[in-house]
């Protein structure tokens, strides 16, 4: 016998062999497409900070939903950009709000497509924070009621899954109670359980006009240095009744994703956020990277790290490639 006895290259010989021994797969079923809905009708405007993504009025969002469904993507997540902002973010729970209207039209057009809605106040408050203020700090407990109201209004419109992203303490429990009290005990909660105070949200805040008007979000979103805290956040949300949990941002936090998945063994999502998307698109435009390969390799890395599904602005395009 000659050295080496074990030759890992034996299992890398040819595409068929590589397919046979492949450990991780990415499919359209793993992807969730975010959409930004705006007031009006017939609106489809490219978002300058998120090239290839659009501000859509409810009717246009319904058309887009048909395309997304046809590509094989199982779910979308809706973000609303309202006409009117105020101190409490009251448009967030308006019956005729952007998200509520879009949800109704989308569920009419494609009932099988799952509609998730982002539940937060920062897109709706004039100060851009994720809850109501007491002086210059976000007042946790009074915000909970407003989040509950918002989640119920999304459920009323037909949302299948509500996704709180505000990072207030106790919001999953408050939203669960509000949904149950309103008769929506079958509506699931996907909690942004582990959400870091990240510079990667920049392009989203431009797209949603939701940058804080003073200060930052470090008083409620997590310190990027912390992992123990991430485990506690995930645990608390599960105790409060989250059906699924999410880690956000993506690539820079894959260690946290793996740990959360391995520790709790629950359905765990990852969000490849706007800054990650923008960085790939910008480098691809420069011709510095192979766009398609980078996108697929990056999404596969989420699966390998333990994600059950991935929220990504590339969802529909990738699903079309994978078909
Ligand atoms: C709302 C919210 C944000 C994102 C998702 N929900 C912005 C923020 O927290 O500032 C970011 C998504 C992205 O960057 O793609 N709280
Ligand atoms: Zn917010």
């Amino acid at each position: 016998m000659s050295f080496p006895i074990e030759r890992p290259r034996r299992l890398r010989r040819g595409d068929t062999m590589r397919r046979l021994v492949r450990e991780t797969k990415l499919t359209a079923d793993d992807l969730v497409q975010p959409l930004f809905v705006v007031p009006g009708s017939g609106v489809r405007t490219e978002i300058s900070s998120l090239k290839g993504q659009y501000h859509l009025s409810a009717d246009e969002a319904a058309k887009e939903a048909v395309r997304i469904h046809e590509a094989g993507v199982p779910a979308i997540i809706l973000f609303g950009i309202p006409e009117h902002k105020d101190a409490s973010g009251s448009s967030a729970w308006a019956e005729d709000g952007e998200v509520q209207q879009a949800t109704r039209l989308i569920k009419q057009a494609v009932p099988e497509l799952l509609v998730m809605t982002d539940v937060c106040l920062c897109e709706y408050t004039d100060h851009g924070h994720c809850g109501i203020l007491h002086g210059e700090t976000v007042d946790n407990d009074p915000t909970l009621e407003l989040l509950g109201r918002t989640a119920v209004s999304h459920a009323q419109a037909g949302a299948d899954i509500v996704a709180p992203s505000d990072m207030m303490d106790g919001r999953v429990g408050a939203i669960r109670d509000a949904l149950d009290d309103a008769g929506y005990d079958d509506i699931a909660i996907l909690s942004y359980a582990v959400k870091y105070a990240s510079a990667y949200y920049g392009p989203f805040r431009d797209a949603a006009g939701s940058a804080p008007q003073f200060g930052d979000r470090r008083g409620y979103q997590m310190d990027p240095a912390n992992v123990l805290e991430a485990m506690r956040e995930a645990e608390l949300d599960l105790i409060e009744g989250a059906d699924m949990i999410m880690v956000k941002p993506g690539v820079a936090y894959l260690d946290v994703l793996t740990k959360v998945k391995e520790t709790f063994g629950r359905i765990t999502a990852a969000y490849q956020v706007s800054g990650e998307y923008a960085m790939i698109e910008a480098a691809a435009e420069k011709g510095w990277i192979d766009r398609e390969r980078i996108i697929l390799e990056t999404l596969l890395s989420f699966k390998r790290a333990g994600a059950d599904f991935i929220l990504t602005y590339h969802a529909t395009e990738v699903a079309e490639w994978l078909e």
Side-chain angles (χ1 to χ4, degrees):
M1 232 182 307
S2 65
F3 182 83
I5 294 166
E6 186 162 347
R7 293 179 181 272
R9 288 185 57 188
R10 287 180 194 129
L11 301 186
R12 295 180 201 139
R13 293 177 63 234
D15 209 42
T16 318
M17 180 70 88
R18 288 193 291 268
R19 268 172 53 209
L20 180 72
V21 301
R22 187 159 292 144
E23 299 171 43
T24 310
K25 285 192 176 88
L26 178 72
T27 75
D29 291 341
D30 302 320
L31 305 172
V32 178
Q33 176 71 51
L35 292 182
F36 294 92
V37 292
V38 297
S41 67
V43 181
R44 182 183 169 87
T45 318
E46 190 166 39
I47 300 170
S48 53
S49 60
L50 285 171
K51 211 179 60 73
Q53 305 297 309
Y54 295 83
H55 282 139
L56 303 167
S57 51
D59 56 326
E60 290 291 326
K63 284 188 209 160
E64 190 67 23
V66 173
R67 217 192 105 212
I68 293 166
H69 175 64
E70 280 168 359
V73 172
I76 57 173
I77 180 161
L78 297 180
F79 297 95
I81 297 150
E83 193 100 74
H84 162 80
K85 302 193 187 211
D86 59 26
S88 65
S90 63
S91 297
W93 58 86
E95 210 192 309
D96 61 350
E98 288 65 33
V99 166
Q100 291 81 353
Q101 286 189 41
T103 300
R104 282 193 197 92
L105 293 186
I106 290 164
K107 290 308 284 187
Q108 258 170 43
V110 250
E112 312 89 324
L113 183 70
L114 294 173
V115 174
M116 301 179 176
T117 56
D118 186 83
V119 175
C120 198
L121 299 180
C122 56
E123 295 118 84
Y124 305 93
T125 52
D126 49 16
H127 46 74
H129 280 286
C130 300
I132 50 177
L133 299 178
H134 181 77
E136 298 238 313
T137 56
V138 174
D139 205 354
N140 195 90
D141 297 7
T143 298
L144 300 181
E145 202 229 312
L146 307 183
L147 294 168
R149 245 189 251 181
T150 303
V152 168
S153 81
H154 293 173
Q156 240 151 24
D160 301 286
I161 299 163
V162 294
S165 67
D166 52 284
M167 290 300 279
M168 295 302 114
D169 295 332
R171 90 266 208 218
V172 172
I175 288 172
R176 186 70 272 161
D177 282 348
L179 288 171
D180 291 354
D181 286 349
Y184 297 109
D185 51 12
D186 54 351
I187 299 306
I189 299 176
L190 164 63
S191 151
Y192 289 71
V194 181
K195 179 172 176 181
Y196 288 94
S198 171
Y200 283 101
Y201 310 147
F204 174 98
R205 291 183 190 168
D206 283 342
S210 65
Q213 295 304 297
F214 65 88
D216 54 46
R217 301 211 204 289
R218 286 181 295 177
Y220 39 107
Q221 298 181 349
M222 285 178 47
D223 185 333
N226 295 349
V227 182
L228 283 176
E229 191 188 351
M231 304 309 284
R232 188 60 181 155
E233 281 284 5
E235 186 174 19
L236 285 171
D237 283 8
L238 289 168
I239 291 169
E240 288 175 34
D243 300 282
M244 306 181 277
I245 50 181
M246 180 151 61
V247 175
K248 176 186 172 205
V251 169
Y253 298 86
L254 289 182
D255 58 325
V256 181
L257 175 67
T258 300
K259 197 152 187 191
V260 166
K261 179 63 182 293
E262 285 180 351
T263 303
F264 300 104
R266 298 290 295 267
I267 297 293
T268 306
Y271 199 146
Q272 183 187 39
V273 300
S274 57
E276 301 178 69
Y277 173 86
M279 284 161 58
I280 292 175
E281 291 302 319
E285 197 179 289
K286 290 271 192 189
W288 291 343
I289 56 170
D290 180 332
R291 179 175 182 272
E292 184 167 333
R293 286 188 57 203
I294 290 272
I295 291 170
L296 290 171
E297 183 177 334
T298 306
L299 292 174
L300 187 71
S301 78
F302 286 103
K303 289 293 305 284
R304 199 185 58 240
D308 293 288
F309 57 87
I310 308 150
L311 282 64
T312 170
Y313 298 97
H314 288 125
T316 308
E317 188 181 3
V318 168
E320 282 164 353
W321 297 342
L322 294 175
E323 230 179 281

